[in-house]
């Protein structure tokens, strides 16, 4: 019998469809951000506008004007919506605004699920975080008399973010867009259309200058020196430091250079120096990292700061283990805040430091407890991507509050940019002034577009779990005054 | 003392390079095994290895199977089954196809196989979840036989299997009857049959064996990756080809040594290069960039400079003469009235389609249609280099990226109009294409493809990093933004205006390509495809023709890349022009039609519109007049794009005119016949010319198939000579 290729092709198609239809989806629980975003900047510590005013709880905090927190709180209070106890349930009928009906305020989520080359849980985990916060708000009665809903979840399939953004814009069903994408090619379309958009903060170039675009952290300063890295080296007892980065990624190379410069800048104060520098490693380290580790051993390296992805850090840690120096070299990770991985990986990352953009889940804060509770209600993982979705949703709601009961996209964006000048996500992030932080600060000008405090949340891996380095779970951030680059010990800080 | 230190460092570096070198050796061995036993340059080897590795991972980690049953399932059941299916359904009937055709099929399979597996098993990679090896704690327990550098359990197993594989397989081919039979079948299936050997069975065994080896390699290699991704395996294949090339794809010992040597060279370089750069700072930029580019530089160097490869010619089956001649090029048999009718239909369709888009399309569809138009422009570059010149170029993405980056740089640095920058970018791309073609002039189809692939990866890993290409700090702060142009009263920030511009560019390029096909260069390229010797005998310079083809192809790709970047208002290099993306372009174009302008247009439409229209079920919404009525099974997974077009590329060998052209001709055959019968008009000047041309080409093609390029390769003959 002659076997026709066409028959075979038809059989393959039928079989695959049948199998795919009967198969179960795997839940992807890995939630590591794609790129290192280790730099962080600072903000004033005045309380953000909330129905119940909270006190600034940082010790000895100052703003750039050198005012005491009380002064800052007073001055900030003048910019807040009128009444802390304002009722956000007032209903005003709104016509002609995409995504807003009498019953709902709808948003769309665009992200990468298919063709994801990194293995991280992007779209699903991020959407879980957004939905979790929406559930919390809806449970409290919604906002402006409406429920918050996700009208559409669009998989941009890695390469089609721009088309996905246009699809959402054209459909007209969403008031705002949340994005968890690996290629942010669609943001220009969202900005051109005046759609408020929210994202997880790894695409600073695409976000630059777009007033409608809000991330979990404001665009960071590429190339600026930072103090948390030398601080970590000092904490870890490091004296000879290696700085490692991936060569094909401009972000990683710039990041590595800034870490080297940071250590050089405070070398005397911390008693450490850069002994090995390599920003040209191959992505994924396909040829291993043996010669580089040997060179680090010969240079007596005892601390490694890195701008590499999780996979590369695992390879590095394994190579250190192989060459018998894992216990004598401490690592700094930019992308390893993964509870499931740390539990499974045994001793591999023991004692290492992990920098994260948000207040860690180990913090003793109401917002974190809420996050854990509502995420669990949604059955989702409590990953860093989920936290990003939660924070973005929080920001979205805060913007609605300040926009008032009668709003449209333009008024929303205007209100968010003029009134959210000390936004902290109830303490989950370093306070952000959205009136001036839509562009990246530069080494020559760190403050015009930068935070008022240079802050970073850092945890350490101990016994397969994370511990907050600040020592106080109510104050998870380590902060410095960003008006200068003087060396000082950081202040444990809370933005709650 | 210094010498002793250097010697010690060198020895350590060699040891450090052994584990990755072993990985390359395993892949190279598998490569050689497949090529030796089937004549197929199996770029899908990585995909086969990935599939077995992923199934092993699923069985051990998710189903909690013990190691041995999981290994049996993934390596000795699934892998050989894949091999048998590939042999039986695809490659058995393509034994006499050219090596280039088989390469294209392999590329298609490399895209389709992982997608099929991931759909069937709902498999998704999870970051940081490393596959386990065959031995418990394989990555965590080390042995240091030399007291210099320890190896993990997994690595020792890899080394043992690589060494054993080379020895056993070498002995199999040299000392056993089945080994001799496998080599004989590749050289001449018919002669083998005459000797009483069942060629089909031997071929099936060969494929099962090579696929099982691919599966074993996959399971052994996987623990090196901390996330199980098919792209990592594909990357390994590209690198390991350099090792396999050392033995001209036929020598197992050389593949083993080549793989190890590659690992050693990289490790030695990584050990000593920083020291050289410290003492001579001018070396730093070179050493920095060479680190990333080493495998591709080695591959390019071997392919271009290795004398045995440069001299290599595909040997022919002595009994190939009994095979029927290749099918005549389509179009020449089509009745003139039918051709006119088809053209009229096409023009009408495009006019109606254009009117619908112009009046009904929202911003999303306007974007997609414009993208389809621009992608068609890029694909015309493949029409020139592959359809006309018969060469497989796997670096069209790089040429397109040159166009895009040029527009970005011109606009960012000197505020040059994007319209002018398009031309500048195209010229630069053409120059690069011409330069690239010079060292590869003498290479045959497969080796040329490999050289272009090496260039594509070199561009990706090195060139894009340079600030004068990828933007450096500017791109970090603001991305590679590209403005829309303005020309007098026309502001191309308006999407409709830009669509018109894109259509004009496409029409101009299409006319140019048609003119090229019918003109001197096109005819020269066609004759070259048929017989290079005959071409030279009548004064045609193959070198000039090939350089011209590369330059023109690169020029067109540069224009398309520039237009795409302007359309998206950003170069979006990783999104648009990465090497893997360009592989899919090739598969798409050859499966539809690489030889016609229409094929490029269809490929552009398929690339941009197939997922949203077909996979998302939108066409059903149009038919049913409501999106609400689209059945719940939509949207279909985007992986289907890779499956359908990847498998469709298989038809390239049988129908190089493309599936659409073939299908069209089949469906119109009766009408064509009726027209010929009813209107047996005297041939016009054009049709007479075409008829004479067709006759000449048939004769030349038939001669070629008896003497040179259209026969299958005989790798073993080269080794024995």
């Amino acid at each position: 019998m002659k076997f026709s290729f066409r028959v075979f092709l038809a059989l393959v198609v039928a079989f695959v469809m049948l199998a795919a239809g009967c198969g179960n989806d795997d839940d992807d629980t890995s939630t590591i951000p794609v790129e290192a975003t280790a730099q962080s900047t600072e903000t004033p510590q005045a309380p953000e506008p909330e129905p119940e005013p909270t006190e600034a709880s940082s010790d000895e905090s100052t703003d750039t004007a050198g005012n005491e927190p009380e002064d800052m709180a007073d001055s900030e209070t003048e910019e807040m919506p009128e009444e802390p106890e304002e009722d956000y349930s007032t209903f005003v009928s709104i016509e002609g605004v995409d995504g807003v009906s009498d019953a709902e305020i709808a948003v769309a989520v665009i992200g990468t699920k298919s063709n994801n080359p990194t293995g991280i849980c992007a779209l699903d985990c991020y959407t879980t975080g957004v939905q979790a916060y929406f559930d919390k708000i809806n449970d409290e009665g919604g906002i402006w008399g409406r429920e918050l809903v996700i009208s559409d979840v669009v998989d941009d399939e890695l390469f089609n973010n721009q088309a996905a953004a246009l699809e959402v814009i054209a459909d007209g069903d969403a008031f705002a867009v949340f994005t968890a994408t690996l290629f942010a090619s669609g943001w220009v379309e969202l900005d051109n259309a005046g759609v408020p958009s929210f994202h997880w903060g790894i695409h600073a170039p695409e976000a630059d200058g777009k007033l409608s675009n809000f991330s979990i952290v404001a665009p960071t300063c590429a190339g600026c020196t930072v103090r948390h890295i030398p601080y970590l080296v000092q904490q870890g007892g490091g004296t000879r430091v290696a700085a490692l980065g991936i060569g094909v990624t401009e972000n990683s190379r710039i990041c590595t250079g800034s870490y080297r410069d940071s250590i050089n800048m405070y070398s005397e104060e911390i008693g450490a120096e850069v002994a090995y520098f390599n920003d040209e490693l191959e992505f994924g380290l396909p040829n291993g990292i043996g010669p580089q580790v040997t060179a680090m051993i010969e240079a007596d390296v005892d601390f490694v700061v890195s701008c590499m992805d999780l996979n590369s850090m695992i390879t590095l840690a394994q190579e250190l283990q192989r060459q018998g120096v894992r216990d004598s070299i401490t690592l700094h990770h930019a992308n390893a805040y993964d509870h499931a991985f740390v539990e499974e990986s045994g001793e591999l990352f023991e004692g290492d430091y992990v920098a994260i953009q948000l207040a860690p889940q180990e913090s003793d804060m109401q917002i974190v407890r809420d996050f854990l509770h509502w995420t669990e209600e949604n059955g989702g993982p409590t990953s860093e991507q989920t936290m990003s979705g939660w924070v973005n949703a929080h920001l979205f709601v805060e913007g609605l509050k300040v926009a008032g009961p009668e709003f449209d996209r333009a008024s929303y964006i205007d209100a968010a940019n003029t009134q959210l000048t000390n936004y902290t996500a109830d303490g989950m992030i370093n306070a952000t002034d959205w009136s001036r932080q839509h562009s990246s600060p530069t080494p020559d000008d760190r403050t015009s577009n930068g935070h008022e405090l240079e802050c970073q949340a850092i945890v350490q891996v101990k016994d397969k779990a994370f511990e907050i380095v600040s020592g106080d779970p109510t104050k998870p951030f380590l902060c410095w005054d960003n008006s200068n680059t003087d060396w000082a010990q950081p202040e444990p800080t809370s933005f709650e | 003392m210094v010498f002793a230190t250097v010697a010690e460092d060198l020895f350590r570096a060699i040891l450090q390079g052994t584990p990755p070198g072993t990985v390359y050796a395993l892949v190279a061995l598998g490569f050689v095994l497949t090529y030796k036993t089937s004549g197929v340059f199996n770029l899908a080897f990585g995909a086969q290895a990935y599939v077995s590795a992923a199934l092993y991972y699923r069985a051990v980690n998710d189903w909690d199977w013990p190691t041995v049953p999981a290994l049996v399932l993934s390596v000795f059941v699934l892998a050989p089954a894949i091999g048998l299916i590939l042999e039986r359904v695809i490659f058995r009937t393509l034994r006499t196809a050219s090596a280039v055709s088989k390469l294209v099929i392999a590329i298609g399979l490399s895209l389709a196989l992982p997608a099929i597996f991931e759909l069937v098993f709902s498999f998704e990679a999870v970051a940081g979840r490393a596959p386990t090896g065959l031995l418990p704690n394989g990555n965590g327990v080390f042995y240091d036989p030399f007291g210099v550098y320890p190896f993990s359990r997994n690595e020792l197993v890899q080394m043992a299997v690589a060494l054993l594989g080379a020895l056993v397989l070498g002995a199999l081919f040299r000392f056993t009857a089945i080994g001799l039979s496998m080599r004989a079948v590749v050289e001449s299936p018919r002669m083998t049959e005459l000797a009483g050997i069942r060629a089909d069975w031997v071929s099936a065994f060969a494929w099962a064996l090579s696929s099982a080896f691919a599966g074993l390699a996959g399971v052994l290699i996987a623990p090196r990756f901390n996330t199980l991704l098919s792209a990592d395996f594909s990357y390994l294949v590209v690198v390991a080809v350099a090792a396999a090339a050392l033995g001209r794809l036929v020598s197992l010992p050389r593949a083993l040594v080549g793989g190890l040597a590659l690992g050693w060279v990289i490790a030695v370089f990584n050990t000593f290069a920083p020291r050289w750069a410290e003492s001579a700072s001018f070396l730093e930029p070179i050493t920095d960039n060479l680190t990333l580019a080493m495998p591709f530089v080695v591959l390019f160097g071997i392919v271009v400079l290795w004398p045995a490869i440069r001299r290599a010619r595909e040997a022919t089956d002595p009994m190939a003469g009994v095979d029927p001649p290749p099918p005549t090029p389509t179009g020449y048999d089509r009745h003139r009235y039918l051709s006119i009718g088809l053209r009229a239909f096409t023009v009408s369709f495009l006019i109606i389609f254009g009117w619908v888009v112009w009046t009904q399309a929202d911003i999303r569809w306007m974007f997609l249609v414009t993208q389809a138009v621009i992608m068609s422009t890029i694909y015309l570059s493949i029409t020139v280099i592959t359809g006309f010149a018969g060469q497989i170029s796997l670096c069209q993405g790089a040429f397109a990226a040159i166009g895009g980056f040029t527009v970005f740089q011109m606009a960012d640095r000197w505020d040059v109009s994007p319209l002018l920058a398009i031309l500048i970018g195209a010229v630069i791309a053409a120059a690069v294409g011409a330069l690239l073609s010079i060292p590869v002039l003498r290479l045959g189809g497969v080796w040329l493809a490999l050289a272009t692939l090496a260039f594509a990866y070199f561009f990706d890993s090195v060139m894009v990093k340079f600030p004068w290409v990828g933007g450096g700090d500017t791109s970090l702060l603001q991305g590679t933004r590209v403005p829309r142009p303005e020309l007098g009263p026309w502001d191309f920030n308006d999407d409709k205006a830009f669509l018109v511009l894109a259509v004009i560019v496409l029409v101009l390029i299409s006319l140019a390509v048609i003119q090229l096909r019918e003109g001197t260069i096109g005819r020269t390229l066609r004759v070259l495809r048929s017989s290079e010797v005959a071409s030279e005998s009548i004064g045609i310079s193959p070198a000039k023709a090939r350089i011209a083809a590369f330059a023109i192809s690169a020029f067109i790709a540069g224009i398309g890349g520039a237009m795409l970047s302007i359309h998206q208002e950003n170069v979006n290099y990783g999104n648009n022009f990465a090497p893997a993306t360009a592989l899919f372009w090739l598969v798409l174009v050859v499966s539809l039609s690489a030889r016609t302008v229409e094929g490029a247009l269809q490929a552009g439409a398929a690339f941009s519109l197939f997922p949203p229209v077909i996979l998302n079920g939108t066409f059903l919404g149009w038919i049913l007049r409501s999106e609400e009525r689209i059945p719940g099974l939509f949207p279909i997974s985007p992986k289907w794009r890779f499956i359908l077009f990847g498998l469709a590329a298989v038809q390239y060998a049988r129908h190089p005119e493309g599936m659409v052209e073939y299908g069209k001709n089949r469906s119109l055959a009766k009408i064509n016949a009726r027209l010929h019968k009813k209107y047996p008009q005297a041939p016009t000047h054009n049709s007479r010319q075409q008829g004479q041309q067709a006759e000449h080409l048939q004769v030349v093609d038939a001669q070629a198939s008896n003497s040179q390029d259209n026969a299958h390769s005989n790798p073993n003959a080269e080794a024995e000579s």
Side-chain angles (χ1 to χ4, degrees):
Chain A
M1 181 181 84
K2 188 174 177 183
F3 197 96
S4 160
F5 176 73
R6 280 191 292 280
V7 170
F8 166 71
L9 186 57
L11 284 173
V12 166
V13 169
F15 170 69
V16 172
M17 287 183 75
L18 189 65
C22 295
N24 296 320
D25 285 338
D26 287 331
D27 287 332
D28 200 346
T29 61
S30 174
T31 60
I32 308 302
V34 177
E35 294 182 6
T37 53
Q39 290 101 346
S40 181
T41 51
E42 53 299 324
T43 46
Q45 294 185 15
E48 60 166 351
E50 285 289 345
E52 297 86 30
T54 57
E55 294 178 1
S57 55
S58 169
D59 299 328
E60 302 172 9
S61 62
T62 58
D63 63 31
T64 50
N67 295 324
E68 295 301 320
E70 296 79 18
D71 293 339
M72 287 175 58
D74 288 344
S75 65
E76 287 298 336
T77 303
E78 289 173 7
E79 301 173 47
M80 299 300 164
E82 303 100 10
E83 299 295 330
E85 293 83 17
E86 182 170 356
D87 180 8
Y88 295 109
S89 65
T90 306
F91 174 82
V92 174
S93 183
I94 296 174
E95 299 285 338
V97 177
D98 285 348
V100 179
S101 67
D102 287 349
E104 297 174 344
I105 300 172
V107 304
V109 182
I110 302 174
T112 304
K113 182 172 181 177
S114 305
N115 304 322
N116 186 341
T118 65
I120 65 171
C121 174
L123 178 60
D124 287 347
C125 292
Y126 180 83
T127 304
T128 299
V130 174
Q131 186 63 59
Y133 192 78
F134 282 6
D135 287 347
K136 173 182 180 300
I137 295 300
N138 292 337
D139 188 65
E140 294 167 0
I143 182 163
W144 302 132
R146 297 170 175 87
E147 277 204 348
L148 297 169
V149 298
I150 297 176
S151 62
D152 205 2
V153 179
V154 182
D155 177 5
D156 67 10
E157 303 167 14
L158 183 65
F159 301 112
N160 298 325
N161 184 258
Q162 201 161 4
L166 288 167
E167 179 185 351
V168 167
I169 294 168
D171 284 349
D173 295 334
F175 176 76
V177 173
F178 290 72
T179 65
T181 182
L182 298 184
F183 286 124
S185 55
W187 289 2
V188 65
E189 306 294 348
L190 293 171
D191 190 58
N192 286 345
V195 177
S197 59
F198 303 84
H199 61 99
W200 60 3
I202 64 171
H203 299 294
E206 287 82 355
D208 183 76
K210 293 183 173 66
L211 297 182
S212 64
N213 189 288
F214 302 89
S215 60
I216 57 171
V217 290
T220 52
C221 174
C224 284
T225 56
V226 293
R227 278 167 284 197
H228 73 274
I229 290 295
Y231 172 74
L232 277 184
V233 172
Q234 188 184 52
Q235 283 296 107
T239 56
R240 293 181 64 77
V241 183
L244 302 178
I246 301 295
V248 292
T249 311
E250 186 72 24
N251 256 337
S252 182
R253 289 206 311 279
I254 298 283
C255 167
T256 314
S258 79
Y259 286 178
R260 173 197 55 201
D261 296 342
S262 303
I263 293 167
N264 286 339
M265 188 167 182
Y266 304 108
S267 179
E268 274 188 37
E269 288 87 342
I270 63 174
E273 59 180 342
V274 176
Y276 180 84
F277 178 79
N278 191 334
D279 64 350
E280 295 289 346
L281 296 172
E282 300 148 301
F283 183 73
L285 301 176
N287 295 306
I289 194 171
Q292 293 85 351
V293 167
T294 301
M296 285 193 274
I297 294 171
E298 286 173 358
D300 292 323
V301 165
D302 52 17
F303 200 103
V304 175
V305 296
S306 74
C307 301
M308 303 198 298
D309 56 295
L310 174 63
N311 292 326
S312 300
M313 292 306 294
I314 294 172
T315 302
L316 172 63
Q318 289 171 340
E319 185 64 28
L320 292 173
Q321 200 175 43
R322 179 208 301 268
Q323 297 198 36
V325 292
R326 181 67 270 254
D327 291 337
S328 59
I329 295 182
T330 306
L331 303 179
H332 150 265
H333 300 261
N335 290 296
Y337 189 62
D338 182 339
H339 292 79
F341 172 77
V342 164
E343 277 178 35
E344 290 172 16
S345 70
E347 303 289 319
L348 194 60
F349 285 175
E350 181 67 22
D352 291 344
Y353 296 96
V354 180
I356 58 176
Q357 297 177 320
L358 313 169
Q361 295 170 27
E362 291 73 20
S363 307
D364 182 10
M365 296 161 62
Q366 184 59 45
I367 188 69
V368 172
R369 286 189 287 275
D370 288 342
F371 163 75
L372 292 171
H373 168 75
W374 285 100
T375 306
E376 197 181 302
E377 290 278 314
N378 265 275
T382 56
S383 62
E384 198 169 351
Q385 268 57 54
T386 318
M387 294 168 73
S388 298
W390 173 274
V391 170
N392 274 169
H394 183 286
L395 174 57
F396 173 63
V397 170
E398 294 305 307
L400 283 172
K401 289 178 181 174
V402 298
E406 199 168 353
F407 61 92
D408 58 20
R409 282 173 174 167
S411 69
Y412 175 95
I413 292 169
D414 184 60
N417 283 324
T418 53
Q419 297 192 47
L420 295 182
T421 56
N422 189 32
Y423 174 73
T424 67
D426 283 341
M428 279 194 90
I429 63 170
N430 189 355
T432 303
D433 180 355
W434 285 112
S435 69
R436 57 179 182 80
Q437 287 190 257
H438 283 282
S439 291
S440 298
T442 63
D444 296 329
D445 181 4
R446 299 167 66 114
T447 54
S448 297
N449 297 119
H451 294 282
E452 291 198 17
L453 290 177
E454 175 193 340
C455 296
Q456 185 73 52
I458 303 174
V459 294
Q460 189 176 22
V461 179
K462 285 192 177 170
D463 296 326
K464 302 184 185 181
F466 294 109
E467 277 187 16
I468 295 176
V469 167
S470 71
D472 183 350
T474 64
K475 297 177 183 176
F477 290 95
L478 297 171
C479 293
W480 292 263
D481 182 1
N482 201 35
S483 65
N484 60 70
T485 57
D486 300 339
W487 177 253
Q489 292 300 308
E491 290 297 331
T493 305
S494 168
F495 295 101
E496 189 173 24
Chain B
M1 190 67 177
V2 170
F3 178 76
T5 305
V6 169
E8 189 179 322
D9 290 342
L10 181 63
F11 182 58
R12 183 186 300 110
I14 289 173
L15 292 180
Q16 288 171 338
T18 301
T22 305
V23 168
Y24 297 139
L26 275 171
V27 177
L29 282 172
F31 224 82
V32 169
L33 177 61
T34 309
Y35 191 72
K36 212 170 163 71
T37 57
S38 65
V40 175
F41 199 85
N42 189 17
L43 281 183
F45 182 90
Q48 290 177 272
Y50 163 75
V51 165
S52 287
L55 182 60
Y56 179 80
Y57 175 88
R58 172 58 60 90
V60 170
N61 288 68
D62 297 339
W63 301 339
D64 293 324
W65 283 26
T67 301
V68 171
L71 183 70
V72 167
L73 174 68
S74 55
V75 174
F76 298 108
V77 173
L78 176 69
I82 292 175
L84 287 172
I85 291 171
L86 292 179
E87 190 276 332
R88 178 64 185 88
V89 177
I90 299 174
F91 290 106
R92 179 178 295 187
T93 54
L94 297 177
R95 285 200 194 119
T96 56
S98 68
V100 167
S101 300
K102 295 176 193 173
L103 173 67
V104 171
I105 293 169
I107 293 173
L109 289 172
S110 72
L111 296 173
L113 283 176
I116 291 174
F117 175 84
E118 287 165 3
L119 267 185
V120 170
F121 288 93
S122 299
F123 185 83
E124 288 180 12
V126 178
R129 304 304 188 271
T132 53
L134 295 180
L135 300 179
N137 201 11
N139 275 350
V141 176
F142 300 94
Y143 305 92
D144 193 349
F146 302 102
V148 175
Y149 185 75
F151 300 116
S152 70
R153 279 181 178 169
N154 283 334
E155 288 165 351
L156 288 172
V157 171
Q158 289 166 12
M159 291 178 209
V161 169
L163 186 60
L164 209 60
L167 290 172
V168 168
L169 293 172
L172 179 78
F173 285 112
R174 189 173 279 274
F175 301 118
T176 66
I178 184 65
L180 184 61
S181 299
M182 285 194 286
R183 288 157 56 199
V185 164
V186 173
E187 180 175 338
S188 175
R190 294 184 185 279
M191 216 174 253
T192 314
E193 293 272 342
L194 284 176
I197 297 171
R198 295 286 299 267
D200 292 346
W201 286 11
V202 171
S203 177
F205 173 77
W207 270 96
L209 176 66
S210 63
S211 296
F213 193 87
L216 180 63
V219 171
L220 292 175
I221 290 168
R224 278 191 74 82
F225 304 122
N226 297 310
T227 302
L228 198 52
L229 296 164
S230 62
D232 290 331
F233 287 84
S234 299
Y235 172 85
L236 271 185
V237 167
V238 174
V239 175
V241 164
L246 273 176
R248 287 180 291 116
L249 304 185
V250 298
S251 169
L252 289 164
R254 285 192 189 180
L256 175 69
V257 170
L260 289 169
L262 196 56
W264 294 335
V265 164
I266 293 172
V268 168
F269 185 81
N270 283 334
T271 298
F272 290 101
R275 302 179 193 182
W276 302 333
E278 266 177 26
S279 45
S281 59
F282 70 91
L283 287 175
E284 197 172 322
I286 300 172
T287 56
D288 282 350
N289 292 304
L290 207 51
T291 301
L292 297 171
M294 179 71 72
F296 315 115
V297 170
V298 169
L299 174 60
F300 192 87
I302 289 175
V303 168
V304 168
L305 299 173
W306 198 257
I309 290 175
R310 291 170 65 85
R311 288 195 303 263
R313 292 286 183 267
E314 289 179 21
T316 60
D317 180 354
M319 299 191 68
V322 304
D323 290 321
T328 56
T330 57
Y332 293 105
D333 292 328
R334 194 177 290 158
H335 194 278
R336 188 162 157 258
Y337 288 176
L338 183 59
S339 294
I340 294 171
L342 283 173
R343 279 189 207 133
F345 174 79
T346 302
V347 169
S348 305
F349 174 82
L350 287 175
I351 290 173
I352 294 172
F353 179 77
W355 176 80
V356 169
V357 168
W358 192 264
T359 57
Q360 306 293 322
D362 59 22
I363 50 172
R364 177 200 181 200
W365 289 107
M366 189 67 69
F367 173 87
L368 290 171
V369 169
T370 307
Q371 182 172 279
V373 171
I374 296 172
M375 293 310 296
S376 300
T377 304
I378 294 178
Y379 293 158
L380 283 171
S381 71
I382 299 177
T383 303
V384 170
I385 193 66
T386 300
F388 296 170
Q391 308 293 322
I392 300 293
S393 167
L394 300 178
C395 63
Q396 297 305 103
F399 295 142
I402 290 172
F405 279 128
T406 303
V407 177
F408 157 67
Q409 293 282 1
M410 292 278 154
D412 182 60
R413 288 173 189 257
W414 299 298
D415 209 22
V416 172
S417 163
L419 291 175
L420 178 60
I422 291 173
L423 286 174
I424 297 173
V427 168
I428 294 174
V432 171
L435 277 172
L436 176 67
S437 69
I438 292 172
V440 303
L441 278 174
R442 286 280 179 199
L443 296 178
V446 168
W447 298 111
L448 174 73
L450 287 179
T452 59
L453 185 63
F455 173 74
Y457 275 94
F458 176 81
F459 184 88
D460 181 62
S461 58
V462 176
M463 301 301 296
V464 176
K465 281 172 38 190
F466 292 130
W468 48 273
V469 177
D473 288 357
T474 303
S475 71
L476 189 64
L477 290 172
Q478 297 161 6
T480 48
R481 295 186 187 178
V482 177
R484 291 273 184 98
E486 290 180 25
L487 183 65
W490 297 295
D491 181 1
F492 295 110
N493 282 289
D494 178 70
D495 289 338
K496 283 187 177 176
F498 190 78
L499 172 60
V500 171
L501 176 65
V503 168
I504 291 172
V505 170
L506 175 63
V507 167
L508 289 175
I509 299 288
S510 300
L511 290 174
V513 169
I514 291 171
Q515 185 59 35
L516 184 81
R517 182 181 64 195
E518 302 304 324
T520 306
I521 295 179
R523 293 162 195 265
T524 302
L525 292 174
R526 278 205 296 279
V527 171
L528 268 176
R529 284 178 70 175
S530 305
S531 171
E532 194 166 318
V533 173
S535 312
E536 283 186 280
S537 71
I538 56 173
I540 292 174
S541 166
K544 282 186 187 169
R546 289 213 173 96
I547 292 174
F550 258 96
I552 294 169
S553 169
F555 182 87
I556 296 172
I559 288 182
M563 287 293 293
L564 190 63
S565 302
I566 295 172
H567 175 230
Q568 296 183 2
E569 298 182 61
N570 198 309
V571 178
N572 286 328
Y573 171 79
N575 199 47
N576 292 331
F577 305 119
T581 306
L583 285 181
F584 181 64
W585 292 354
L586 175 74
V587 165
L588 193 58
V589 175
V590 299
S591 64
L592 291 174
S593 175
R595 290 191 181 177
T596 64
V597 168
E598 192 183 344
L601 302 186
Q602 291 159 356
F607 181 87
S608 296
L609 301 176
F610 180 79
V613 173
I614 305 297
L615 296 184
N616 285 358
T618 305
F619 74 102
L620 277 179
W622 292 336
I623 293 171
L624 300 172
R625 294 179 167 262
S626 168
E627 282 191 6
E628 310 295 326
R629 294 182 190 159
I630 297 175
L633 88 102
F634 291 96
I636 298 173
S637 169
K639 292 189 191 343
W640 276 103
R641 187 165 62 153
F642 300 113
I643 295 173
L644 292 174
F645 288 110
L647 293 180
V650 170
Q651 292 294 317
Y652 176 71
R654 283 199 200 88
H655 302 287
E657 72 273 23
M659 285 186 66
V660 176
E661 193 69 19
Y662 168 69
K664 196 165 62 175
N665 289 331
R666 264 191 70 160
S667 56
L668 295 172
K670 283 187 183 170
I671 300 175
N672 197 35
R674 236 180 261 150
L675 282 172
H676 274 294
K677 194 174 176 184
K678 195 169 181 184
Y679 302 103
Q681 56 196 9
T684 63
H685 176 69
N686 280 342
S687 65
R688 187 184 310 123
Q689 263 196 336
Q690 287 169 2
Q692 288 171 347
Q693 262 187 348
E695 280 179 16
H696 167 72
L697 284 173
Q698 284 182 32
V699 168
V700 173
D701 279 349
Q703 286 175 347
S705 70
N706 284 335
S707 62
Q708 261 192 346
D709 292 330
N710 276 333
H712 65 273
S713 65
N714 178 15
N716 301 308
E718 279 292 333
E720 289 164 1
S721 66

